[in-house]
Amino acid sequence: MARKPRADMIAETRARLISAARHAFGTVGYAEASMDELTHAAGLTRGALYHHFGDKKGLLVAVIDQVDAEMTVRLRAVSHGAADAWTGFRDECAAYIEMALEPEIQRIVLRDGPAVLGDPWNWPIQNACIRSMTDDIGRLAKAGIIVPVDPEAAARLVMGATQHAAQWIAHASDPQAVSRKAIAAFNVMLDGLLLQPTQAH
Amino acid sequence: MARKPRADMIAETRARLISAARHAFGTVGYAEASMDELTHAAGLTRGALYHHFGDKKGLLVAVIDQVDAEMTVRLRAVSHGAADAWTGFRDECAAYIEMALEPEIQRIVLRDGPAVLGDPWNWPIQNACIRSMTDDIGRLAKAGIIVPVDPEAAARLVMGATQHAAQWIAHASDPQAVSRKAIAAFNVMLDGLLLQPTQAH
DNA sequence: ACATTGACATACGCAGCGTATGTTAATTGA
DNA sequence: TCAATTAACATACGCTGCGTATGTCAATGT
C-alpha cells in the first residue's frame, strides 16, 4: 500500500517546505523568518532545505515563483472572461489591485522580493503579469481604442500606480473609503488613455 | 584651540555615523551592511552607534530622514521655480523620476526602507513628497485646470507610476531610450488629467 | 573642587545561516 | 537477487553579526 514513487515523495517535501516558507515569509517577513522554525513546522530539518534550495534566498525564489504563477493564472482568467478588450483591461487592473491588497502577495512579492533579490526586472517573476498587460495594451492601441503609446511603458506605469494604490489602501484606517477614492482616480487616469474618453466618472 | 562645544562634537559624531551608514546602505544594501565595518569606517565603534540610534533600524530611520529631507528640498525648488501650476506639476514629476533613478535613493528609500521598516505610510518619510504633490494637484483641481479628482489619490497614483518607471529605466539595457518611452507614456497619462488635453505628444 | 551626567569603548552572550559529514533508503546493473 | 552507487535528508560544527551589559573618561553644574 501507499506505493509512492520516490519522485512524489521529493515533490511533497519541496511542497511542504515551500508552503511553510510561504506562511512564514507572508506573516513575519523574510528577515524575521527562522529557517529552523520554518523547517520544523514542516516536520523537517534545515538539511532538507539546503539540499533542495541551496540557501535562504533560493527558498524565497521558489516561494515567489509559486505565488507569481497563481497570480498569472488569476489575471488570465479575468482578462479572458471580459466582454471587450477595454473592459477586460480595466478588469485586469482592478484584479491586480485586489491581489496586491493580499498581505501575502504584498509582503513577499512586492516588498521582500525586490529588497532581497534585487529589482524584479531580471527575474521571471512579474514578467508574466507585465507581459499580459503589455499585450492587452498593445491590442488596444492597434485597435485604435486608446492613444498610440508604447505598450510596455504604459503597462509599467499602470502597474506602478496599481501597486502603490494597493499599498495605500492596505494601510488606510478606512480601506473601503480609500479604495473607492483610489479606484475613481485610477479610472480617470485610464480614461486619459482612451481616444474617446467617456468622462463618466 | 578648536574650542568645540560638546553639542557640536555629538552632532559631528551622529553626522559621521549617518554618512557612513548612508554609504553602506546605498551600496551593499541594509541587510549586507555590517555595523562593525560601518562604525569602523566612521572611526568609531558600535558603542557609539547603539548609544545614538538604539539599533540598526534606528540608524536606517536616521539615514532615510536625511535623504528624504534632501529630496523634499529639491522638489520644492523645482515646483517653486516653474512658470505656471501645470508645468510646475510636470516638472516636479520629472524631477521625482530623476531622483528615483539615483541608486542611493532607489535602494535606501524605495526598497530597503519599506522592506525593513514596513510601508512608508506611517513614518514621516515620503509624506513630505506626497504632501507636496497632493497640494499641487489640489490647487490644479481648484483652478479648474484638471478634472475634479481626489488630490491625494491622484498624487499617490502618480508617485507609484513614477517610482515604477524609474526602476524600469534604471534596470534597462538602454536607459536613454527607455527613459524617453517612459516619459512619453507618462505625459499621455498626465494629459488624461487635464480638462483640455493638449494631445501634443 | 567635587559630584554627576552622558558620550563612547570594551566585552560578552546568543541567535541564525551555511557547510561538512554522516546515515539510510531507493535505484541501477549484472 | 544482490552488491554498489546515488541521492535525500539529518546531525553537528563554526562563524558572523546583532544587541546588551559594563566600564571609562571627559564635560558640565554648583
Side-chain angles (χ1 to χ4, degrees):
Chain A
M1 56 302 192
R3 191 79 209 98
K4 285 239 183 179
R6 165 168 265 234
D8 288 7
M9 299 296 292
I10 297 172
E12 191 189 325
T13 295
R14 282 181 60 96
R16 276 165 61 195
L17 285 173
I18 290 177
S19 173
R22 180 170 171 168
H23 180 257
F25 293 164
T27 50
V28 299
Y30 175 84
E32 299 301 315
S34 162
M35 307 285 269
D36 277 319
E37 294 178 12
L38 206 159
T39 50
H40 189 73
L44 296 160
T45 68
R46 289 213 332 274
L49 211 160
Y50 283 94
H51 178 74
H52 285 291
F53 301 102
D55 61 353
K56 196 178 182 182
K57 288 184 182 179
L59 182 60
L60 177 60
V61 168
V63 169
I64 289 181
D65 278 347
Q66 189 187 73
V67 176
D68 182 54
E70 295 175 9
M71 290 173 68
T72 304
V73 168
R74 290 167 65 181
L75 280 187
R76 290 221 186 285
V78 167
S79 61
H80 278 55
D84 63 288
W86 177 249
T87 58
F89 177 60
R90 272 209 181 179
D91 290 352
E92 202 171 340
C93 291
Y96 193 84
I97 288 186
E98 283 177 29
M99 288 198 307
L101 276 170
E102 298 168 24
E104 203 173 50
I105 290 176
Q106 193 164 131
R107 177 108 217 202
I108 301 176
V109 179
L110 304 183
R111 286 226 308 273
D112 286 346
V116 175
L117 268 26
D119 263 314
W121 314 126
N122 301 317
W123 23 301
I125 160 66
Q126 278 198 144
N127 287 1
C129 296
I130 280 284
R131 206 177 305 269
S132 173
M133 200 169 282
T134 301
D135 291 346
D136 288 345
I137 294 178
R139 273 192 294 272
L140 290 169
K142 269 221 172 65
I145 298 174
I146 63 172
V147 297
V149 63
D150 184 78
E152 187 180 2
R156 294 205 182 271
L157 292 174
V158 168
M159 279 193 70
T162 304
Q163 289 180 13
H164 220 74
Q167 295 188 348
W168 180 36
I169 295 170
H171 288 79
S173 55
D174 185 354
Q176 294 298 329
V178 167
S179 180
R180 276 193 297 272
K181 284 200 282 188
I183 297 282
F186 194 72
N187 284 336
V188 171
M189 291 190 73
L190 285 186
D191 275 346
L193 290 176
L194 280 174
L195 274 179
Q196 286 100 13
T198 63
Q199 292 294 72
H201 319 302
Chain B
M1 57 299 192
R3 192 78 209 98
K4 285 237 184 178
R6 167 167 262 233
D8 287 8
M9 300 295 290
I10 297 172
E12 191 190 325
T13 296
R14 283 181 60 97
R16 277 164 61 194
L17 286 172
I18 291 177
S19 172
R22 181 169 171 168
H23 180 257
F25 292 164
T27 51
V28 298
Y30 175 84
E32 299 302 315
S34 161
M35 307 285 268
D36 276 318
E37 295 178 12
L38 207 158
T39 50
H40 189 72
L44 296 160
T45 68
R46 289 214 331 276
L49 210 161
Y50 283 94
H51 178 73
H52 284 292
F53 301 102
D55 62 354
K56 196 178 182 181
K57 288 183 182 179
L59 182 59
L60 177 61
V61 169
V63 169
I64 290 182
D65 278 347
Q66 189 187 73
V67 176
D68 181 56
E70 295 175 10
M71 290 173 68
T72 305
V73 167
R74 289 167 65 181
L75 280 186
R76 290 220 186 286
V78 167
S79 60
H80 277 56
D84 62 286
W86 177 249
T87 59
F89 177 60
R90 272 208 181 179
D91 291 352
E92 202 170 340
C93 291
Y96 193 84
I97 288 186
E98 282 177 30
M99 287 198 307
L101 276 171
E102 298 167 26
E104 203 173 49
I105 290 175
Q106 193 163 131
R107 177 108 216 201
I108 301 176
V109 178
L110 304 182
R111 287 225 310 273
D112 286 347
V116 175
L117 269 24
D119 264 313
W121 314 127
N122 302 317
W123 22 301
I125 161 66
Q126 279 198 145
N127 287 0
C129 296
I130 281 283
R131 205 178 306 269
S132 173
M133 200 168 283
T134 302
D135 291 346
D136 288 343
I137 294 178
R139 272 192 294 272
L140 290 169
K142 269 222 173 66
I145 298 174
I146 63 172
V147 298
V149 63
D150 183 79
E152 188 180 1
R156 294 204 182 271
L157 291 174
V158 168
M159 279 193 70
T162 304
Q163 289 180 13
H164 219 74
Q167 294 188 348
W168 181 35
I169 296 169
H171 287 79
S173 55
D174 184 354
Q176 294 297 329
V178 167
S179 180
R180 276 193 297 273
K181 285 201 281 188
I183 296 281
F186 194 72
N187 285 336
V188 170
M189 292 189 73
L190 286 187
D191 275 347
L193 290 177
L194 280 176
L195 273 180
Q196 285 99 16
T198 64
Q199 291 295 72
H201 320 303

